[in-house]
Amino acid sequence: MTQFTAGLDLGTTSAKAVLFTKAGEVVGEAECSYPVQHPHPGWAEQDPFAIEAAAVKALKEAVTDAGPGELLSVGLSSAMHSLICADADAVPLSPAITWADCRSSSQADALKASPAGTEIYLRTGTPIHPMSPLVKLSWMRDTGYAPYKQAARFLSVKEWITARWFGVYHVDYSVASASGLFNIHERTWEPLALEAAGITEAQLSEPVPPHFIFRGLDPETAEAIGIKADTPFAAGGSDGPLANLGIGAINAGEAAITIGTSGAIRQMASAPRTDSRQEVFCYAFTDDLWILGGPTNNGGNVLEWLKQHVHTAETGTKDPYEALFTDMEHVAPGADNLLFLPCLNGERAPYWDAAAKGAYVGLTVSHTDAHMTRAGIEGVLFSIQSISKSLERLTGEAGSIYASGGFARSDVWVQMLADMFGEDIHLPLSHQSSAWGAAWISLYAIGEVDDLASIKAHIPMRESVTPRADVHAVYSRLYPVFSGLYDALRPAFHELHALSTDTTLASASKR
């Protein structure tokens, strides 16, 4: 009988379930989406039950897609920084608040400016920013948020689902780290952060390594998925370190770049590394591995914005994204010296500024929508390069670059990445690297594989993409200009942000 393992990845907008053979071959997959609600400007919330239903449906469809066989194990992956207020029985008292929620900007600014904020970052490795549950909890405390006052527990989405499915409260190291409440040096909850959030350790789950096994799946859930109730589920981790594992970027000098809705660049390290500049994150992953990197708020969402508002030509029967890239290729690399700072949703690394805005710089009458499109896509990659410069200060220069996520399916976009970094880009056949990383950890947890590092021999890879020297030279001349844009425009961004939050002006604009 064929043996499978599965990775279940709870992303920002969808649950993805992928079944693999032990050699890393995809034999079944499914994806089920769920919406993000924005009840007020800057808020980003989700229905936890919608996420759970999508997870069950995706697993069921992936198992069905794989056909007959034995499911050995399931590994869990999730997006970072989610927060649910729950009662003692894991009943949600609040929506799931996502990483994109920035209602706590004032609390983030105040904490970041304080000596305690710097010390919390150095201990937890989580930059002080509205994305983190620590800062969300501070907002809840300061505003008297009713679910916060009533809550017995504070859980991430993945913790909430495992509590419902297995009846226990455990959280893997990397999800715990992303909360901003976890000491990455001691792998325990950090008292200084708990004090800043106004909560106690008893309201949080027990931290466990990624190979911790959940057993005893709720029978109704097992039946709904179509698997045995005794199927072991490994705690896994957050999607970032699991993407590194699933793509094979686990040794020093190996960087992984992921671009989906947002984006990130990450490297593994054998020890935690932070500094007072607070430009990158550092999260615990296993007992002897940490993940360092930086996320950008702006990745595939910029592509969507370009499609909707910049590249508006009729495409006929052609895929609109394909048409966008086709037209962009008629413009020379560098977009005739047009640059785009892609901070459409504020920005995380390396600026950690929720008030940052997008901006075209260098626009002239000779530029067309195709120039603006090319500059927009190049701006996303320039942002990743900016984060890589901050990361290299702590990890050293990357010698190998691996790519995963939705953007890795675009040959044009990956070629642009190779040209910009001037390095070969290594690509897996499957873009579901977080799911494969989670699945591999589950195999390790049940003793089917000897270690995590051996995954390198079980990642089906495509041919690497090689940079073009002449194009790299163009980007090398433009990058120093791009790297100075944020600092030059920051005062204007903050003045505009203040105007946008001025209730008097907001009321006048609606008349």
Side-chain angles (χ1 to χ4, degrees):
M1 179 181 289
T2 305
Q3 293 182 320
F4 307 134
T5 181
L8 175 62
D9 183 21
L10 306 171
T12 303
T13 57
S14 66
K16 308 176 192 73
V18 189
L19 264 68
F20 305 87
T21 66
K22 287 192 282 186
E25 176 191 3
V26 174
V27 292
E29 60 183 309
E31 181 173 0
C32 298
S33 62
Y34 31 80
V36 180
Q37 286 88 32
H38 303 279
H40 303 284
W43 292 32
E45 300 180 342
Q46 293 177 307
D47 177 0
F49 291 105
I51 299 174
E52 182 188 24
V56 170
K57 184 179 179 183
L59 264 178
K60 177 181 179 60
E61 291 181 358
V63 169
T64 301
D65 188 35
E70 179 187 7
L71 180 62
L72 296 173
S73 58
V74 180
L76 300 173
S77 169
S78 69
M80 293 179 276
H81 314 300
S82 59
L83 179 64
I84 299 170
C85 301
D87 70 11
D89 298 315
V91 175
L93 303 174
S94 74
I97 303 175
T98 81
W99 63 267
D101 191 285
C102 59
R103 73 185 73 177
S104 56
S105 294
S106 296
Q107 285 74 20
D109 291 343
L111 184 57
K112 190 172 183 178
S114 71
T118 299
E119 188 59 34
I120 287 172
Y121 167 73
L122 294 174
R123 296 183 191 183
T124 66
T126 305
I128 306 299
H129 185 269
M131 69 178 184
S132 79
L134 160 63
V135 182
K136 292 178 173 69
L137 289 165
S138 298
W139 175 87
M140 292 178 180
R141 178 200 58 205
D142 291 350
T143 60
Y145 187 60
Y148 169 88
K149 294 192 291 185
Q150 300 162 3
R153 292 188 176 273
F154 300 101
L155 307 168
S156 71
V157 164
K158 189 168 72 165
E159 285 170 81
W160 176 75
I161 286 179
T162 53
R164 283 179 54 80
W165 289 5
F166 299 97
V168 293
Y169 294 94
H170 296 295
V171 58
D172 67 84
Y173 291 160
S174 56
V175 168
S177 290
S179 70
L181 301 163
F182 188 71
N183 187 307
I184 58 173
H185 306 272
E186 305 294 335
R187 289 184 292 277
T188 57
W189 297 114
E190 170 52 48
L192 190 60
L194 297 178
E195 180 181 354
I199 65 172
T200 67
E201 184 174 346
Q203 293 175 291
L204 300 174
S205 301
E206 179 185 352
V208 294
H211 57 272
F212 174 87
I213 296 177
F214 292 97
R215 295 191 183 276
L217 179 62
D218 169 65
E220 288 187 12
T221 302
E223 183 178 1
I225 297 171
I227 62 176
K228 297 178 180 178
D230 62 356
T231 302
F233 280 63
S238 61
D239 52 7
L242 290 175
N244 275 58
L245 178 64
I247 206 171
I250 53 180
N251 295 326
E254 296 176 338
I257 293 174
T258 305
I259 302 178
T261 303
S262 57
I265 180 169
R266 303 169 301 272
Q267 286 194 51
M268 293 284 193
S270 58
R273 299 170 188 170
T274 56
D275 66 15
S276 59
R277 292 175 67 169
Q278 303 188 44
E279 291 181 340
V280 299
F281 62 69
C282 179
Y283 300 145
F285 178 41
T286 69
D287 288 327
D288 53 11
L289 281 176
W290 286 256
I291 187 88
L292 286 85
T296 170
N297 284 359
N298 303 283
N301 65 304
V302 174
L303 198 64
E304 178 65 21
W305 177 79
L306 291 168
K307 178 177 73 70
Q308 293 288 340
H309 302 292
V310 176
H311 188 272
T312 56
E314 291 293 331
T315 60
T317 58
K318 185 184 290 187
D319 177 87
Y321 294 104
E322 180 185 348
L324 185 149
F325 277 105
T326 299
D327 287 359
M328 179 205 72
E329 288 192 275
H330 295 301
V331 176
D336 290 334
N337 299 322
L338 178 63
L339 294 173
F340 181 62
L341 190 64
C343 303
L344 300 181
N345 289 327
E347 190 52 288
R348 287 180 287 172
Y351 316 123
W352 301 102
D353 185 357
K357 312 294 181 189
Y360 279 103
V361 178
L363 191 64
T364 71
V365 293
S366 64
H367 290 120
T368 66
D369 60 348
H371 286 86
M372 296 174 73
T373 296
R374 179 163 201 118
I377 296 170
E378 288 174 343
V380 172
L381 299 180
F382 274 135
S383 289
I384 294 288
Q385 192 171 16
S386 293
I387 302 169
S388 77
K389 300 296 184 184
S390 298
L391 182 59
E392 286 172 3
R393 203 181 63 253
L394 295 175
T395 63
E397 189 172 350
S400 300
I401 299 177
Y402 297 76
S404 67
F407 96 111
R409 288 175 282 181
S410 167
D411 294 340
V412 177
W413 209 347
V414 174
Q415 182 65 62
M416 292 170 70
L417 178 66
D419 293 337
M420 190 165 288
F421 277 74
E423 299 284 350
D424 289 351
I425 306 298
H426 307 290
L427 299 159
L429 282 176
S430 169
H431 66 281
Q432 303 289 13
S433 297
S434 294
W436 180 223
W440 187 262
I441 282 180
S442 73
L443 291 176
Y444 173 66
I446 63 173
E448 285 288 322
V449 299
D450 294 332
D451 54 42
L452 297 184
S454 57
I455 193 175
K456 279 181 169 288
H458 301 273
I459 304 172
M461 301 293 289
R462 293 165 48 191
E463 185 175 350
S464 298
V465 176
T466 301
R468 298 169 292 185
D470 57 335
V471 180
H472 177 61
V474 172
Y475 289 141
S476 296
R477 289 194 296 271
L478 285 173
Y479 175 73
V481 183
F482 176 89
S483 66
L485 292 182
Y486 169 76
D487 287 337
L489 295 172
R490 183 181 182 278
F493 291 157
H494 281 254
E495 288 183 25
L496 291 170
H497 185 72
L499 290 174
S500 69
T501 55
D502 187 310
T503 55
T504 303
L505 289 174
S507 298
S509 68
K510 295 178 181 178
R511 291 175 191 156

